[in-house]
Amino acid sequence: MTRPALNPCHLLNHLHAILDSDPYIDELGFIHPSQFAALNEELHSSSEPASLLSAETRSNPVRDTSSHTFFWHNEHKLGISTLFLVPLYNAAKDAFMDAYKRYSMLRGSQVKKDEKLDDNSLNSSASLMDIVETQVMKHSRALVLLSCDFGTAWNSRKLIVSKKLVFSVLMDELRLSALVLSCSPKSERAWSHRRWVIKMMAGNCSNLQEIVERESELVKTLAESSKMNYRAWNHRCWLVSYMSDSQVLLELQCSRDWAEVHVADNSCFHYRARLLLQMIENLRRNNKRGGLSGAEFHQEELDWVGMLIRRYVGREALWLHRRFLSLFLHNYP
């Protein structure tokens, strides 16, 4: 297939327009050009009449004059043609690096000159800084979608977001990193960014437990589609320290159901070990009486993993978890 002539900057502007028009895009994919026709055909053959579809949910492919498709956007899903990834990435990287360079220079000069500027100059400088920050945020958004582990882009977003720490902006960061993870579920940079955002929220967030619950569900969803995803489970282990006592108990029950059908995934059993340790810590801190004691929880877990060992002979993850339980009993009698 001959690649048509294109303007990479024009292509990048198309991507920005799509992302601005639909801030709730929740899935990203890189699609071979041959798949676009099938996607549109599947949509048109849907039983739901096109007239009933809102403008927001209709198929919205972006094309050039040669009828080559660049993007496919429908029902908060975004597809990008693999044929144009390289020029699109280069355009996004160049635009970001240019904006970030201007931001760094302006930030450095602003620090030096703040004491000497009058009010009008300060307002003008602040207005220019706002414009440059907007450019950095816009181009870094496109860049992390195309190159999920581009650390400078993620760090520039932290630098700008940390200046104001507005809740709505922090939620936007969670949405962006979730979009990146929908395509690259093992991206360490994206998971690290989510942890940074939650730390920023932790001090002044009334619904933190709800956010933690959604995070745990996100890990569960990605673990289903991306097997042996250590980074996702490590993120879930990190969340345990932010969970309430009731959430810890609920996670113990829910993760048991998941583990019974994923007995080869050691990360899930490592997560259960983290939950058990947190549960014992909660019991000791609250000096709770009534209900199951730590020893009873341990025995229940030991019986359960013993049943799995007999059912699934030779699974190393099960034996490793049983070894942990033996040490657990020794240290937390």
Side-chain angles (χ1 to χ4, degrees):
M1 181 182 292
T2 302
R3 181 176 298 178
L6 54 87
N7 184 336
C9 294
H10 181 65
L11 202 60
L12 181 60
N13 288 335
H14 272 312
L15 178 58
H16 288 320
I18 293 172
L19 295 172
D20 289 338
S21 69
D22 186 2
Y24 296 103
I25 294 175
D26 57 12
E27 189 172 339
L28 171 69
F30 301 119
I31 304 173
H32 190 272
S34 62
Q35 293 180 281
F36 281 92
L39 285 170
N40 287 324
E41 185 178 332
E42 180 181 338
L43 181 72
H44 294 150
S45 64
S46 172
S47 59
E48 185 174 10
S51 59
L52 297 181
L53 294 173
S54 68
E56 185 177 305
T57 60
R58 287 179 189 149
S59 177
N60 195 15
V62 180
R63 304 173 185 271
D64 70 351
T65 54
S66 303
S67 297
H68 289 272
T69 303
F70 298 139
F71 308 105
W72 192 88
H73 172 217
N74 179 56
E75 295 183 343
H76 308 305
K77 315 299 179 189
L78 174 61
I80 302 177
S81 173
T82 56
L83 190 62
F84 306 100
L85 277 179
V86 173
L88 183 58
Y89 165 75
N90 287 333
K93 183 180 72 171
D94 291 344
F96 166 74
M97 295 306 294
D98 181 62
Y100 187 62
K101 182 179 179 180
R102 285 185 284 118
Y103 172 73
S104 299
M105 292 174 62
L106 185 60
R107 186 165 174 261
S109 62
Q110 198 176 54
V111 170
K112 294 178 182 178
K113 296 179 180 179
D114 270 350
E115 297 179 359
K116 302 177 183 179
L117 294 175
D118 56 27
D119 290 343
N120 290 333
S121 298
L122 281 172
N123 291 335
S124 176
S125 178
S127 178
L128 179 58
M129 176 63 87
D130 289 341
I131 293 172
V132 174
E133 286 180 350
T134 300
Q135 291 295 310
V136 171
M137 293 294 281
K138 180 173 75 169
H139 294 307
S140 64
R141 176 184 61 181
L143 187 53
V144 298
L145 292 177
L146 298 167
S147 179
C148 62
D149 287 324
F150 201 111
T152 305
W154 286 114
N155 291 336
S156 69
R157 298 186 71 83
K158 290 184 178 74
L159 192 62
I160 293 172
V161 170
S162 63
K163 291 173 62 177
K164 298 177 181 178
L165 292 180
V166 179
F167 181 77
S168 60
V169 176
L170 291 171
M171 289 302 297
D172 288 342
E173 293 302 295
L174 287 180
R175 276 190 287 269
L176 174 61
S177 55
L179 181 56
V180 171
L181 290 167
S182 71
C183 183
S184 305
K186 296 183 179 182
S187 169
E188 180 59 35
R189 291 283 186 177
W191 287 115
S192 176
H193 193 70
R194 294 187 77 80
R195 288 191 286 275
W196 177 83
V197 172
I198 292 172
K199 284 180 182 178
M200 295 300 102
M201 286 180 165
N204 302 296
C205 181
S206 58
N207 63 334
L208 182 62
Q209 301 307 318
E210 181 181 339
I211 292 172
V212 169
E213 184 176 345
R214 287 203 297 266
E215 285 293 293
S216 187
E217 282 299 314
L218 174 66
V219 172
K220 181 180 176 182
T221 301
L222 292 176
E224 289 284 358
S225 60
S226 175
K227 305 302 181 185
M228 307 298 180
N229 191 337
Y230 167 78
R231 291 174 178 84
W233 284 103
N234 184 56
H235 180 74
R236 205 176 189 183
C237 288
W238 177 84
L239 288 171
V240 171
S241 60
Y242 290 93
M243 292 180 183
S244 65
D245 294 3
S246 59
Q247 281 181 313
V248 170
L249 293 174
L250 181 61
E251 286 291 314
L252 273 169
Q253 179 57 50
C254 293
S255 62
R256 171 182 285 200
D257 297 337
W258 198 91
E260 286 181 352
V261 292
H262 298 84
V263 292
D265 197 332
N266 185 58
S267 294
C268 180
F269 290 98
H270 180 70
Y271 176 57
R272 288 190 62 78
R274 178 69 183 87
L275 288 169
L276 284 167
L277 291 173
Q278 185 64 44
M279 182 207 64
I280 292 298
E281 183 179 326
N282 292 344
L283 288 173
R284 290 184 171 184
R285 183 182 65 247
N286 300 327
N287 194 24
K288 285 190 174 181
R289 303 296 179 187
L292 290 177
S293 66
E296 289 171 319
F297 266 111
H298 171 270
Q299 187 59 51
E300 186 179 289
E301 186 80 0
L302 198 61
D303 293 342
W304 171 71
V305 79
M307 177 270 294
L308 292 178
I309 286 173
R310 289 188 294 273
R311 181 183 298 175
Y312 303 100
V313 178
R315 293 293 183 176
E316 184 180 16
L318 298 176
W319 285 104
L320 288 173
H321 190 56
R322 188 176 180 88
R323 183 184 303 171
F324 159 78
L325 291 173
S326 299
L327 294 173
F328 180 82
L329 180 62
H330 177 74
N331 293 321
Y332 298 93

